[in-house]
Amino acid sequence: QVQLVESGGGVIQPGRSLTLSCTASGFTLNHYGMHWVRQAPGKGLESVAHIYYDGSNEFYTNSVRGRFNISRDNDKNTLYLHMSSLRVEDTAVYYCARDRIPGGSYQAAFWGQGTLVTVSS
Amino acid sequence: DIQMTQSPSSLSASVGDTVTITCRASQRIRNYLNWFQQKPGGAPNLLIYFASTLQGEVPSRFIGSGSGTDFTLTINGLQPEDFATYYCQQSYSSPPWTFGQGTKVEVK
């Protein structure tokens, strides 16, 4: 059974760094494209980052490009989001999600339950 | 960037009603349109992809249609478990893919 479990969220001061983890089970991580999507409190969904199944390409939304980095450890079957120079507006629940089919697809079909990041002084 | 505009932002309905949510893209996206359902405190759940294909065991009362720039999600015979927020998302451009702002379906 496909399962994604995010961890690493918490309260962090502006300007600091934080790394989120997404531990996958029930499938092999390096067969699937993976996503990070966030949701600010009471707001809608925002796609943040995407990595191809083979790690050959990474994509970022404009507001985080240069500050966030998506990566994966295939041996640990874990996806990461390293966030630096954090801003108050980065406060959100961060979800990781998996592509619907291996090799890449146009849908994020399986989602974790999210981890809350609060950026506040 | 491709912008996605949903309407209405919220609606009130009763069990058994038919509801329709629309989503408009700022440029043509063929049929690269996904619909998600999100319940309070929960993660989004993929309902429909490629504008009209039901994901997994999603009930057939959910119907997606459209192509190009205009899309609709119709729920026939609204059930108690369908009260939630619905988001459209385009996956035509390079990722990350943009979402609409959401439509909250509330109990009348």
Side-chain angles (χ1 to χ4, degrees):
Chain A
Q1 184 176 354
V2 174
Q3 191 171 13
L4 297 167
V5 178
E6 302 94 338
S7 61
V11 180
I12 188 86
Q13 292 179 326
R16 302 290 294 268
S17 298
L18 191 67
T19 298
L20 305 182
S21 301
C22 171
T23 301
S25 59
F27 68 98
T28 302
L29 189 67
N30 64 1
H31 290 181
Y32 292 84
M34 297 295 294
H35 309 254
W36 285 100
V37 177
R38 68 183 178 184
Q39 187 169 36
K43 302 298 184 182
L45 300 168
E46 180 185 28
S47 292
V48 173
H50 175 75
I51 186 168
Y52 274 10
Y53 74 99
D54 59 0
S56 61
N57 264 305
E58 303 163 19
F59 302 88
Y60 301 91
T61 194
N62 289 340
S63 62
V64 309
R65 190 174 294 115
R67 300 189 298 122
F68 288 14
N69 177 252
I70 186 171
S71 64
R72 62 205 304 164
D73 184 329
N74 295 328
D75 291 338
K76 295 183 178 179
N77 229 36
T78 300
L79 178 76
Y80 300 100
L81 185 67
H82 178 70
M83 305 181 294
S84 62
S85 302
L86 280 162
R87 305 168 180 169
V88 171
E89 54 266 33
D90 295 320
T91 294
V93 174
Y94 285 75
Y95 297 100
C96 72
R98 194 203 83 176
D99 271 355
R100 185 174 59 85
I101 58 176
S105 71
Y106 296 90
Q107 308 86 26
F110 297 93
W111 295 62
Q113 286 305 301
T115 187
L116 176 62
V117 174
T118 303
V119 184
S120 173
S121 55
Chain B
D1 292 357
I2 300 174
Q3 307 302 317
M4 306 300 295
T5 304
Q6 282 182 241
S7 61
S9 56
S10 66
L11 64 89
S12 298
S14 300
V15 171
D17 286 351
T18 293
V19 302
T20 299
I21 300 167
T22 64
C23 179
R24 175 164 290 177
S26 61
Q27 65 186 74
R28 294 182 67 83
I29 59 171
R30 296 171 61 184
N31 67 337
Y32 290 89
L33 192 283
N34 308 310
W35 288 100
F36 291 86
Q37 176 193 67
Q38 187 180 33
K39 297 181 181 179
N45 179 44
L46 178 66
L47 295 177
I48 289 171
Y49 60 94
F50 290 140
S52 61
T53 302
L54 290 178
Q55 162 69 0
E57 299 180 357
V58 171
S60 58
R61 63 180 179 271
F62 291 92
I63 300 171
S65 63
S67 184
T69 60
D70 295 312
F71 302 86
T72 61
L73 172 66
T74 300
I75 310 172
N76 287 325
L78 198 67
Q79 295 299 298
E81 60 268 28
D82 300 336
F83 292 99
T85 300
Y86 294 84
Y87 295 91
C88 64
Q89 181 200 41
Q90 65 83 16
S91 53
Y92 177 79
S93 65
S94 295
W97 301 313
T98 45
F99 289 90
Q101 77 276 21
T103 296
K104 187 174 184 178
V105 177
E106 301 175 296
V107 178
K108 181 182 285 185

